[in-house]
Amino acid sequence: MAQSQQNPDSPRRPPTIPYAGAMSQGLAASANAPPAPPPPPRPITAAAKRRCWTEPVVRFWILATLALVGIGGWFLTEQVIASRSEQWLIANGTPVTATVVSVDGDARVGKKSPPGSSCSLKFDWKDETINVEGALSSNDFITTGQTVGLRVDPNDTSVWTDRTTPEPLGHRLIAGSIIIPAALITAAAALLLRRRLQRVWRNADAVLYSVVEVRYSALAPLSHTVRSVVATGRDPTIVTVYLPARFPRPQPGEYLWLIRRSGNAKSAIAACAFE
């Protein structure tokens, strides 16, 4: 029998793996495929409700909300403590007369500087000279060489105030007011995304996919990040979904039912995670 001649000039083709999207409907629906989820409209079960909270895209905004609430709580606590400390210092601090030595590093006598500038001051304390730094609360211009009345903590001379009345707590909290709308925005985003997931689970169609790759994702470190393509037809779009870590790690070539809106692959969710 004559042997076929191979053209030495033809390129060598590497071995290929059959594309899952080219599988026939019969093969895709073989015994290897898991049972299909119920048709829409699907009930919003307790498992589906829990998964809508823990789906990574929702969980991200929940964690962002919790982080902002934590920052806001820390800021509020810090300002309340600072306000109480200032009240104590005004009531119980030792009065001294301090001299402005320099303002913003400028020690020229008579130099005027705007309110809020950083000052270096000195005062006598128990037969020694104490140097401190900070900003005065007065709204007047500061003159190098002028004298200022201070209240000093008798246990720590680095703690002082030039106030005669405490700063209103409301003024202290203004700077943190931006945290409240930011937390509301992130909380609203989490709720809206959760409602969208519920609608997808309830009303979208189930499509059989073939697993292409499983990765690790920093967005969902406790989940399997599964990349897959539709198991029937020839749609090459790769869709990424997340499976909870309690599920076995899928292997390439395995089948997975996804719930997705028609024409919107990014809306896909893993059906087994909601059942």
Side-chain angles (χ1 to χ4, degrees), residues 50 104 255:
R50 287 194 301 269
D104 291 333
Y255 296 115

Side-chain angles (χ1 to χ4, degrees), residues 26-260:
L27 180 59
S30 67
N32 293 329
R42 302 176 187 89
I44 307 296
T45 62
K49 291 179 180 179
R50 287 194 301 269
R51 184 56 187 173
C52 285
W53 283 120
T54 58
E55 188 76 7
V57 66
V58 176
R59 186 170 57 207
F60 170 82
W61 291 106
I62 293 175
L63 293 176
T65 303
L66 294 176
L68 289 171
V69 170
I71 293 172
W74 169 81
F75 179 82
L76 175 62
T77 302
E78 183 184 56
Q79 293 304 313
V80 169
I81 293 174
S83 179
R84 291 175 65 88
S85 298
E86 186 179 67
Q87 292 176 16
W88 181 91
L89 188 59
I90 292 172
N92 302 287
T94 302
V96 299
T97 300
T99 302
V100 178
V101 178
S102 65
V103 181
D104 291 333
D106 191 343
R108 290 177 294 171
V109 177
K111 173 72 168 56
K112 290 185 177 295
S113 301
S117 301
S118 178
C119 302
S120 177
L121 306 101
K122 67 178 182 179
F123 56 87
D124 295 330
W125 181 268
K126 297 180 181 179
D127 300 327
E128 64 175 315
T129 300
I130 304 296
N131 293 280
V132 295
E133 294 185 355
L136 299 176
S137 63
S138 174
N139 292 324
D140 299 329
F141 272 75
I142 307 165
T143 304
T144 306
Q146 77 177 81
T147 57
V148 182
L150 303 181
R151 293 275 181 171
V152 179
D153 186 341
N155 301 314
D156 185 357
T157 55
S158 65
V159 179
W160 57 272
T161 183
D162 64 321
R163 291 183 178 275
T164 56
T165 58
E167 181 182 8
L169 182 60
H171 291 179
R172 289 178 171 273
L173 299 179
I174 290 176
S177 60
I178 191 174
I179 298 176
I180 297 175
L184 292 176
I185 290 172
T186 55
L191 291 173
L192 289 174
L193 289 171
R194 181 177 181 271
R195 291 185 62 184
R196 189 186 73 176
L197 286 174
Q198 287 183 336
R199 289 195 299 269
V200 170
W201 164 251
R202 181 173 179 83
N203 300 316
D205 295 327
V207 182
L208 188 63
Y209 273 71
S210 177
V211 175
V212 173
E213 182 183 22
V214 181
R215 291 182 174 181
Y216 170 84
S217 173
L219 177 63
L222 300 179
S223 300
H224 305 302
T225 303
V226 183
R227 290 159 52 87
S228 57
V229 293
V230 67
T232 58
R234 294 195 176 266
D235 185 356
T237 304
I238 294 181
V239 176
T240 301
V241 295
Y242 301 93
L243 280 180
R246 70 177 185 273
F247 287 89
R249 182 182 179 90
Q251 299 301 315
E254 292 184 0
Y255 296 115
L256 191 66
W257 285 100
L258 304 187
I259 309 295
R260 50 167 284 188

